[in-house]
């Protein structure tokens, strides 16, 4: 993964996870719920929230800023050193503009835009920024990423996979957090029905935490999978399940 490129004097604040969650709640999730009827076009309202959350509409209808989706994003900064990376998303504070490369897969476009929203709210000293395409797995799989990128990733996860909504779904489907100490044959059988492949008790108990998280992210035995409901990648959902201590 090559580094992102940004221009501007970046804020020096280091955001704790709880602070990022509070900003996501105050700036996005509360206004989204308050305007849920107006923003429900193309989405489903339920007692657990408005799904899937659309980052492009958050930008245009909550922030009143612009979103562009060109097929590809050209290198717009002549003075920047080229990395040879594909530009996945752009955030331009001065022009009130966000852009994402339209040729990217849907889950990638969504996470990249949500990540740029993270920069907008968390890093006020950042005026222009470009990112490579992101799917959410970068949070744990890419070492040495700048702190600001990790913070923006966490913000994206918080708005695309809100804590309250995800906790409610896990409680409704599984009775609560999933721990290898409490997994039984009944759960293995139900997960097999939802996976269209055999999920054994041994796989669940002795597999890694990430293995369990991936299975839960894709499980369809109680309807649409979490990946389908939230329109995120399997890895992004698996990481969020672990971050929220919903899968151990």
């Amino acid at each position: 993964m090559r580094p992102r490129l940004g221009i501007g004097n970046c804020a020096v604040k280091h955001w704790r996870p709880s602070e990022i969650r509070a900003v996501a709640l105050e700036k996005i999730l509360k206004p989204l719920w308050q305007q849920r009827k107006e923003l429900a076009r193309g989405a489903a309202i339920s007692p657990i929230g408005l799904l899937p959350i659309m980052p492009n509409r958050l930008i245009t209808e909550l922030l009143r800023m612009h979103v562009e989706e060109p097929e590809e994003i050209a290198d717009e900064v002549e003075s920047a050193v080229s990395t040879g990376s594909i530009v996945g998303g752009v955030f331009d504070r001065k022009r009130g503009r966000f852009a994402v490369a339209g040729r990217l897969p849907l889950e990638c476009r969504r996470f990249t835009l949500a990540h740029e929203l993270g920069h907008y709210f968390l890093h006020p000293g950042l005026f222009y920024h470009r990112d490579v395409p992101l799917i959410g797995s970068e949070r744990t799989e890419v070492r040495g990423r700048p702190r600001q990128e990790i913070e923006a990733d966490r913000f994206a996860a918080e708005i695309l996979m809100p804590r309250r909504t995800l906790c409610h779904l896990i409680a409704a489907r599984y009775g609560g957090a999933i721990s290898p100490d409490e997994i039984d044959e009944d759960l293995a059988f139900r997960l097999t029905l939802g996976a269209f492949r055999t999920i054994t008790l041994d796989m669940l108990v002795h597999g890694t935490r990430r293995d369990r998280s991936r299975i839960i992210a894709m499980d369809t035995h109680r309807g649409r999978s979490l990946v389908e409901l939230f329109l995120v990648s399997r890895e992004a959902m698996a990481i969020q399940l672990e971050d929220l201590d919903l899968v151990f």
Side-chain angles (χ1 to χ4, degrees):
M1 182 69 66
R2 295 179 173 88
R4 283 69 170 162
L5 299 176
I7 293 180
N9 296 318
C10 302
V12 296
K13 177 178 174 58
H14 291 174
W15 293 87
R16 295 193 299 269
S18 60
E19 293 175 321
I20 295 174
R21 189 175 305 119
V23 173
L25 182 64
E26 183 66 27
K27 299 296 185 180
I28 295 293
L29 298 177
K30 282 184 178 179
L32 177 64
W33 183 248
Q34 291 165 356
Q35 300 182 40
R36 59 190 179 278
K37 291 183 179 179
E38 294 84 354
L39 295 171
R41 187 174 68 253
I45 298 178
S46 75
I48 59 172
L50 184 69
L51 296 177
I53 291 174
M54 304 291 190
N56 58 329
R57 296 187 62 197
L58 296 177
I59 293 167
T60 59
E61 299 184 36
L62 286 183
L63 299 183
R64 304 298 180 186
M65 299 175 77
H66 302 291
V67 177
E68 300 172 9
E69 292 196 23
E71 188 70 8
E72 294 185 356
I73 299 176
D75 190 346
E76 301 171 348
V77 184
E78 294 180 359
S79 61
V81 177
S82 175
T83 65
S85 297
I86 297 172
V87 179
V90 169
F91 159 54
D92 188 338
R93 189 182 298 273
K94 290 184 177 180
R95 295 173 58 190
R97 167 181 171 262
F98 293 79
V100 64
R103 71 186 183 94
L104 299 174
L106 177 60
E107 293 84 356
C108 183
R109 297 199 307 273
R110 286 168 47 77
F111 198 91
T112 301
L113 267 184
H115 175 99
E116 303 307 331
L117 273 171
H119 285 309
Y120 175 79
F121 285 111
L122 302 176
H123 309 131
L126 194 62
F127 298 108
Y128 181 91
H129 192 70
R130 291 177 291 159
D131 280 290
V132 297
L134 301 165
I135 61 171
S137 62
E138 296 83 4
R139 297 170 65 192
T140 61
E141 292 181 0
V142 181
R143 296 181 180 180
R145 298 181 71 231
R147 178 182 289 270
Q148 285 185 324
E149 299 305 320
I150 296 172
E151 292 170 346
D153 283 346
R154 186 175 291 277
F155 185 93
E158 291 291 344
I159 66 172
L160 293 179
M161 300 166 281
R163 168 183 289 262
R164 182 177 179 181
T165 306
L166 198 48
C167 288
H168 185 105
L169 276 168
I170 292 297
R173 291 186 171 191
Y174 308 103
I178 296 165
S179 168
D181 297 331
E182 300 174 356
I183 291 173
D184 56 20
E185 290 283 3
D186 179 64
L187 178 60
F189 175 73
R190 286 185 284 139
L191 291 174
T192 293
L193 294 178
F196 302 104
R197 65 186 179 94
T198 302
I199 304 295
T200 66
L201 183 62
D202 185 68
M203 289 169 57
L204 294 171
V205 173
H206 299 294
T208 66
R209 188 183 190 188
R210 183 57 49 85
D211 290 337
R212 286 187 290 275
S213 298
R214 288 169 177 154
I215 291 170
I216 297 302
M218 301 298 293
D219 177 33
T220 62
H221 91 275
R222 289 287 299 273
R224 296 168 65 193
S225 71
L226 297 177
V227 164
E228 292 176 300
L229 282 171
F230 292 84
L231 270 183
V232 295
S233 71
R234 183 187 68 171
E235 293 305 298
M237 178 56 70
I239 293 167
Q240 186 71 342
L241 289 170
E242 294 169 13
D243 277 0
L244 299 182
D245 287 333
L246 294 173
V247 176
F248 290 93

